[in-house]
């Protein structure tokens, strides 16, 4: 839920943001550790919470998750390395590698570190089994349907490359290589609706019965939504848990053994904890449209350009001028990049939208809310723009958890 910066009890309030603006060069990301801790508490009924670090993979955020007894998911060798640096242990189930393929280097490190694999293809099982018999594995099953806030985040069904379509075909491979099947996993996409959820729970139960192997875990995957709009309702976690818990009980009865229920959220844990702070650098009229151009681009926050995602916007004035929330003007917010798609107020498919925002002046600041998930982690160096700073507010202190990349660092790879 977008934090109202003038009334929020969280640390993402005007006073703190103004303090940071004075200290640091915009644009920058800010996270509030309290919000993350509160979100973790909401999921405590699950036996295991596994953070999908793709949403926000900063080592310090990972350490925070570890301190709160979470486990972690990794989808690349880079994410495995981050998890290890943050203190998650190899030779355990603290890190699980989820993918649909292995590259050679990742495969060899996974075997060396003895990290369980959540396999999304039969080829992964063959490649792993032939050099690491006995390795602990999960099967990621494609339940033949999916759901997502955008077509690009739907991870089930025929148009998705994710997961195993016919899990029973995995069993002979598992047997051949003596792989140790410990769990089944389903993630249909980001954004939940309860009807889909019921179908996933049913599909999970059916898959377990079909395979009929003595697994220990089932994973509900991630995909728990957050309210990006002010008037949106948060997901009912009680209902979400109870649907999955019923599936777990059925499975447990069928296999006649206790089953651990795991959940694997990214966005739900960190999305609302983060904001992006940027500065207005130019204002111009294009025909009838009022464009406000800021110093952050889609190289920083990619979601609006990639999916047409909505991020709530607040304005802070640079001087002591009062921002009049009631005196608004239809505004298009754009960034500095050399592309027309570098617009933060757009719908999926690139349709430019305007938003009613207070009248701004050059030098004012724009805050994008709920950017803690898939904000910094999706940034790029496009237009040779350095990665920007990340700041964590924890125990009333402001800590730089990633400094701004220098041009020398950026260019050094080519020299
Ligand atoms: N588990 C698996 C296997 C996943 O593929 C994902 C997300 C998650 C968990 C976490 O999903 P979450 O709880 O964060 O929705 N870049 C997009 C989201 C892509 C999600 C990819 N997989 C965005 O900005 O919305």
């Amino acid at each position: 839920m977008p934090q109202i910066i003038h009334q929020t009890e969280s640390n993402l309030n005007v006073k703190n943001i103004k303090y940071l603006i004075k200290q640091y060069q915009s644009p920058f990301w800010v996270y509030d550790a309290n919000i993350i801790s509160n979100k973790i508490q909401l999921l405590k009924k699950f036996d295991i919470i596994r953070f999908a670090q793709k949403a926000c993979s900063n080592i310090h955020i990972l350490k925070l998750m570890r301190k709160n007894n979470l486990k972690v998911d990794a989808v690349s060798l880079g994410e495995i390395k981050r998890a290890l640096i943050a203190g998650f242990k190899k030779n355990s189930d603290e890190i699980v590698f989820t993918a649909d393929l292995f590259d050679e280097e990742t495969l060899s490190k996974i075997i060396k570190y003895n990290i369980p694999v959540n396999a999304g293809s039969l080829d992964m099982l063959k490649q792993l089994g032939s050099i690491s018999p006995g390795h602990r594995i999960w099967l990621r099953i494609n339940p033949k349907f999916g759901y997502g806030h955008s077509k690009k985040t739907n991870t089930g069904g025929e148009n998705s490359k994710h997961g195993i379509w016919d899990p029973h075909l995995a069993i002979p491979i598992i047997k051949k290589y003596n792989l140790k099947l410990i769990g089944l996993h389903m993630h249909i996409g980001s954004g939940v609706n309860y009807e889909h959820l019921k179908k996933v729970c049913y599909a999970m139960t059916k898959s377990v019965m079909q395979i009929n192997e003595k697994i220990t875990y089932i994973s509900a995957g991630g995909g728990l939504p957050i309210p990006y709009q002010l008037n949106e309702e948060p997901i009912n976690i009680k209902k979400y848990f109870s649907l999955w818990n019923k599936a777990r009980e059925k499975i447990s009865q069928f296999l006649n053994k206790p089953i651990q229920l795991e959940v694997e959220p990214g966005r739900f844990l960190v999305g609302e904890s983060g904001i992006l702070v940027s500065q207005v650098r130019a204002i111009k009229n294009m025909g009838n449209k009022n464009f406000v151009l800021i110093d952050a681009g889609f190289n920083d926050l990619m979601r609006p350009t990639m999916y047409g995602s909505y991020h709530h916007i607040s304005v802070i004035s640079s001087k002591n001028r009062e921002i009049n929330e009631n005196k608004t003007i239809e505004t298009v917010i754009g960034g500095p990049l050399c592309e027309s798609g570098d617009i933060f107020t757009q719908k999926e498919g690139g349709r430019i939208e305007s938003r009613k925002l207070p009248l701004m002046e050059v030098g004012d600041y724009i805050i994008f809310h709920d950017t803690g998930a898939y904000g910094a982690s999706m940034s790029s160096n496009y237009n040779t723009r350095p990665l920007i700073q990340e700041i964590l507010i924890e125990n009333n202190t402001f800590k730089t958890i990633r400094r701004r990349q220098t041009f020398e660092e950026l260019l050094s790879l080519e020299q």
Side-chain angles (χ1 to χ4, degrees), residues 1-62:
M1 175 96 60
Q3 306 283 323
I4 312 295
I5 54 174
H6 294 281
Q7 356 168 309
T8 180
E9 281 160 17
S10 86
N11 292 309
L12 303 178
N13 55 42
V14 175
K15 186 168 152 255
N16 283 342
I17 299 169
K18 279 193 167 167
Y19 171 80
L20 291 170
I21 284 168
K22 277 208 186 116
Q23 303 289 318
Y24 302 113
Q25 183 188 345
S26 75
F28 51 80
W29 308 98
V30 188
Y31 308 96
D32 178 0
N34 278 349
I35 296 181
I36 299 177
S37 304
N38 292 342
K39 296 305 291 274
I40 293 173
Q41 286 312 316
L42 294 176
L43 297 178
K44 278 293 176 203
K45 276 197 147 180
F46 287 86
D47 300 309
I48 297 165
I49 312 172
R50 189 175 296 284
F51 176 49
Q53 66 165 292
K54 66 191 88 182
C56 186
S57 49
N58 187 297
I59 292 163
H60 300 267
I61 301 290
L62 298 186

Side-chain angles (χ1 to χ4, degrees), residues 2-284:
Q3 306 283 323
I4 312 295
I5 54 174
H6 294 281
Q7 356 168 309
T8 180
E9 281 160 17
S10 86
N11 292 309
L12 303 178
N13 55 42
V14 175
K15 186 168 152 255
N16 283 342
I17 299 169
K18 279 193 167 167
Y19 171 80
L20 291 170
I21 284 168
K22 277 208 186 116
Q23 303 289 318
Y24 302 113
Q25 183 188 345
S26 75
F28 51 80
W29 308 98
V30 188
Y31 308 96
D32 178 0
N34 278 349
I35 296 181
I36 299 177
S37 304
N38 292 342
K39 296 305 291 274
I40 293 173
Q41 286 312 316
L42 294 176
L43 297 178
K44 278 293 176 203
K45 276 197 147 180
F46 287 86
D47 300 309
I48 297 165
I49 312 172
R50 189 175 296 284
F51 176 49
Q53 66 165 292
K54 66 191 88 182
C56 186
S57 49
N58 187 297
I59 292 163
H60 300 267
I61 301 290
L62 298 186
K63 282 186 179 163
L64 189 76
M65 298 299 181
R66 192 171 139 70
K67 216 166 64 187
N68 281 283
N69 294 320
L70 267 63
K71 300 189 179 190
V72 72
D73 172 64
V75 297
S76 67
L77 183 52
E79 286 195 354
I80 291 175
K81 296 211 178 238
R82 283 180 178 279
L84 292 172
I85 291 171
F88 292 96
K89 298 279 176 289
K90 34 189 163 179
N91 297 310
S92 77
D93 67 347
E94 291 189 12
I95 309 170
V96 165
F97 177 75
T98 300
D100 298 282
L101 58 87
F102 290 120
D103 59 64
E104 295 273 353
E105 191 189 5
T106 308
L107 177 56
S108 78
K109 288 294 189 311
I110 278 170
I111 293 168
K112 183 172 162 206
Y113 301 148
N114 188 18
I115 288 173
V117 170
N118 180 14
S121 68
L122 301 181
D123 282 316
M124 286 180 79
L125 298 177
K126 292 176 197 160
Q127 290 160 14
L128 179 68
S130 63
I131 36 179
S132 185
H135 206 102
R136 283 162 304 153
I137 57 151
W138 291 67
L139 295 182
R140 174 172 180 184
I141 298 174
N142 181 327
K144 304 186 171 58
F145 59 87
Y147 188 75
H149 66 73
S150 142
K151 266 187 251 162
K152 292 172 190 153
T153 61
N154 181 334
T155 61
E158 262 185 5
N159 287 326
S160 163
K161 65 185 169 119
H162 296 293
I164 295 175
W165 193 263
D166 285 315
H168 64 274
L169 298 179
I171 302 303
I173 306 169
I174 291 172
K175 297 270 181 304
K176 177 172 174 192
Y177 296 110
N178 201 20
L179 290 167
K180 192 164 166 29
L181 178 63
I182 56 173
L184 293 194
H185 173 283
M186 266 179 201
H187 171 86
I188 60 161
S190 286
V192 160
N193 111 4
Y194 299 106
E195 280 318 300
H196 280 102
L197 198 56
K198 274 188 202 156
K199 276 169 68 186
V200 193
C201 292
Y202 177 72
M204 173 65 91
T205 314
K206 210 169 111 194
S207 297
V208 173
M209 291 178 174
Q210 253 172 8
I211 293 175
N212 198 9
E213 293 287 324
K214 293 273 180 197
I215 53 169
T216 308
Y217 308 98
I218 54 168
S219 173
L224 288 79
I226 57 167
Y228 282 100
Q229 308 254 4
L230 281 179
N231 55 3
E232 248 177 290
E233 286 293 316
I235 178 184
N236 182 339
I237 288 294
K238 254 192 170 160
K239 196 163 161 185
Y240 180 88
F241 174 79
S242 122
L243 283 168
W244 271 108
N245 197 36
K246 275 189 198 131
R248 178 247 294 273
E249 279 165 3
K250 260 196 202 143
I251 290 168
S252 177
Q253 243 172 24
F254 176 79
L255 294 176
N256 196 21
K257 63 175 292 204
I259 294 291
Q260 301 243 311
L261 177 57
E262 185 166 312
V263 67
E264 191 182 55
R267 181 186 331 266
F268 182 81
L269 294 175
V270 289
E272 289 149 287
S273 78
I275 55 172
L276 171 63
V277 179
S278 62
Q279 192 179 33
V280 175
R281 302 301 308 171
I283 300 180
K284 55 183 183 175

